[in-house]
Structure formats: structure tokens, C-alpha cells
Amino acid sequence: MYDKLKTAYGAVSKKGVSSILTKMRIKNGLVVGTNGSLTIGVQVPELEHLDITLAADKFLKAIATADPSKLKMKVTDTGRLSITAGKFRALIPTIPNDSFPEVQIDGNMLDCNNILEGLKCVAPFMGDDAIRVWSNGVRLTKDFMYATNNVSMVKYEVRMIVPDMVIPRGTVTELLRINKEPVATVADDSSVTFIMDDETWVNSQTIDSKWPDVEHIFVNTDTVEPVHPELAKAVKDIVPFCNDMTLPAIYFSKDGITTSEGDLQSTYEGIELPDACFHADLLNILLPHIEQVDWSHYPKPCPFLGAGGKLTGVCMGLIT
């Protein structure tokens, strides 16, 4: 039960913008949490006897503390939820149920087979940009999923019957945390709902900001070669010795990789690469997810491939 409640808690507001969004709604075994734009519902049969709305964090803490083999719950005459388990007891106030926002799941059924696999591949490249709002999530189209953090951009090949939509970063994060393949997807003009086979569902508003035309950004991948097997480790080894950790630059050369010159410096030899320079954070995101790349395009966008060729992308280096 605790794990299911944690799933619903993933949508509960943690910022305290509105107190009602820090609550959970429980009715007929369905537990719902929401932050106003993302809502998650899970079925918890042990709670079928309850019809309440209460503080999500306190409820979750009480369930985590209580021995599940001795757990008992009931609503008292004073309107509080009584939770007992052996010597442990907690009383949590409830609030009127009609104050909790209801979510209507409407729209058309979509064909989104194997969407989880694609999200895992593109999610590391999602943006977090207050100006380019469209980049703060994953774009779905009938042929590709897209994501960009403004220094790299990827697309993952799919075959889906979906409208062009952008799923917010937070929703993608929760879908990956739940880690269950949706068996049904429903969407309308402003929202999308993913339904799992255990009756868990994730409802989200979509981002009301369209992607620009980006196909011209992707370049030919005919010249890509396998990523050097030691490169990811080498970058992690020398990053702590960058002089400027606000802009950790990693320099490539035929002799290996190095940090910028200064009192603090580090090199990793034995990796032959074309002359180039990249932000360490970009490399740490990129390298675990790609298999082939052509660094020689630097300072222009460098093409890469991952996921057995289903993931295509480009990345930008630092101009020094």
C-alpha cells in the first residue's frame, strides 16, 4: 500500500502554493494527488471504506510508520482519520471533500505503443527554460519524440497515432518513476492521460507552446563512429579539476582530453579525438545515452546516434 500511495504522492504539490494541492483525495479505493497541472490516481483496495480528503504528507508518513500487519483506519466522530498499528496511533484532520479539484478524463483514444522506451531515451535531454517553454518536456508526433536542452537536441523514432503535443517535464519524470508501460492513452486539446494495467493513471495538462520547425537542425549521420569506450569515465575523472566549475570546459585533442590551463588542471591521455571543446555537463548527459558520434563537425553541431539507431541527435560545443 505504501508504494502505491507514494505513486499518487508524486503529483502532490510540494511548494505550498495552494493548501488544497497538498492534500490527497480517497474515495472507493481510488487515491488521487494533484498539483493542479499533473494528477495521479492509484487504486488501493485497503482504503475502499474511506471517503476523505487529508494532508498527503502526514498520511504518507503515518502509513510508513505503521506496521502494515496491524494497521487499522477509521474516521472519528470529530472528522479525523484515526490510524492505529499496535502501540502506534496517529490522528489526521480531514477537510470537506468538495474542496478537492476533480479531474475529468476526456478525449480520443491514442495509439502510443511502447511509449515508455522512447521517453527513457529522450528524457535526459529535456530542457528547463523559462523563455523557451516548449522545450520543457517531450514533444510527441506520429513519427518522432523530440527533446532539447538548447545545447543538444534529439529525436527518437516511433510509430504512433497522436496529435502533435508537448508533455511537461514533470509528467515525463513521474511516468519514468512509475516505470509502467501505459496500456491506454487518452488526449484532448489541452490534456493527456496515461492508463496502466493496474488502473494507475497519470493525467497531465500539455504545454501550450508549439515547437518551431527543427528538422533542419539535424545533420547527416553517415560519418558517425563508435564513442570511445573510455571517454565517459575520462570526463568524470577530470571534471573535478576544472578551474571554473560554473563553466567546466573539456578540451579534446589527438592526445586525449584536458581541462583548461591554470593552477588547477587535469588530463586523461590515450584517447585520440579531433580538436574540440564541450561543456562537461553536456558530456555527462550525452555519453551514457549515445553509441556513435562525429566530433569532427565541431564547432558546428555534432551528430550522434543511440538506442541502436532509433535515437538521432546533435550537440553543440563551446566556442573558446
Side-chain angles (χ1 to χ4, degrees):
M1 177 168 60
Y2 177 72
D3 288 342
K4 290 184 176 180
L5 293 175
K6 279 187 65 177
T7 296
Y9 187 67
V12 173
S13 176
K14 315 300 191 299
K15 298 180 180 180
V17 176
S18 171
S19 62
I20 192 61
L21 300 181
T22 64
K23 306 297 190 287
M24 275 182 173
R25 175 78 171 100
I26 304 172
K27 183 179 181 180
N28 298 328
L30 176 65
V31 180
V32 177
T34 185
N35 62 18
S37 59
L38 170 67
T39 305
I40 299 177
V42 296
Q43 289 289 340
V44 184
E46 298 93 327
L47 304 180
E48 286 184 350
H49 63 294
L50 297 177
D51 183 6
I52 55 173
T53 302
L54 76 174
D57 58 344
K58 302 302 182 185
F59 182 53
L60 199 66
K61 179 64 176 177
I63 296 301
T65 303
D67 181 345
S69 66
K70 300 177 181 179
L71 182 61
K72 295 180 180 179
M73 286 179 275
K74 68 176 183 178
V75 179
T76 69
D77 293 339
T78 58
R80 294 183 291 177
L81 178 66
S82 169
I83 302 173
T84 60
K87 297 180 179 180
F88 172 77
R89 184 186 183 195
L91 291 168
I92 303 175
T94 63
I95 65 171
N97 291 328
D98 58 9
S99 61
F100 193 86
E102 286 194 17
V103 173
Q104 299 294 329
I105 300 176
D106 294 317
N108 299 316
M109 190 71 71
L110 308 180
D111 181 356
C112 294
N113 291 332
N114 300 318
I115 190 172
L116 191 64
E117 176 186 348
L119 291 177
K120 289 178 179 179
C121 289
V122 303
F125 301 91
M126 291 186 296
D128 187 9
D129 192 318
I131 297 175
R132 298 179 180 89
V133 178
W134 51 268
S135 71
N136 297 335
V138 172
R139 178 192 183 192
L140 295 187
T141 72
K142 63 183 180 64
D143 297 315
F144 295 99
M145 294 183 186
Y146 295 85
T148 181
N149 53 22
N150 299 321
V151 290
S152 61
M153 180 178 290
V154 295
K155 61 181 181 179
Y156 180 88
E157 185 178 356
V158 294
R159 289 292 179 267
M160 301 188 296
I161 302 174
V162 299
D164 194 329
M165 70 173 77
V166 184
I167 305 172
R169 178 189 183 96
T171 303
V172 174
T173 300
E174 287 305 314
L175 287 170
L176 295 181
R177 184 177 65 85
I178 294 170
N179 197 31
K180 295 177 181 177
E181 186 69 46
V183 296
T185 306
V186 178
D188 57 23
D189 292 339
S190 60
S191 68
V192 61
T193 304
F194 302 95
I195 305 168
M196 288 64 171
D197 60 4
D198 62 354
E199 297 185 76
T200 296
W201 50 263
V202 177
N203 172 272
S204 172
Q205 294 178 5
T206 52
I207 292 178
D208 186 21
S209 180
K210 298 296 183 183
W211 269 56
D213 180 14
V214 297
E215 287 306 317
H216 65 282
I217 296 175
F218 295 95
V219 298
N220 194 295
T221 58
D222 288 347
T223 58
V224 297
E225 297 179 348
V227 177
H228 194 286
E230 293 181 47
L231 184 56
K233 176 184 183 301
V235 171
K236 289 183 178 180
D237 284 351
I238 71 171
V239 164
F241 304 97
C242 288
N243 278 286
D244 183 1
M245 290 307 294
T246 64
L247 189 65
I250 303 296
Y251 293 84
F252 290 7
S253 75
K254 61 182 177 58
D255 299 317
I257 66 171
T258 181
T259 61
S260 58
E261 294 183 357
D263 292 337
L264 189 64
Q265 191 173 3
S266 179
T267 61
Y268 193 107
E269 300 175 344
I271 301 177
E272 185 175 348
L273 296 166
D275 289 345
C277 180
F278 294 92
H279 197 295
D281 291 350
L282 167 65
L283 293 174
N284 284 329
I285 291 172
L286 188 67
L287 292 172
H289 301 284
I290 68 171
E291 296 145 5
Q292 296 174 293
V293 64
D294 186 350
W295 303 116
S296 69
H297 280 238
Y298 175 88
K300 295 180 179 179
C302 298
F304 59 82
L305 295 173
K310 296 181 73 174
L311 182 74
T312 303
V314 290
C315 64
M316 292 294 297
L318 294 173
I319 307 301
T320 60

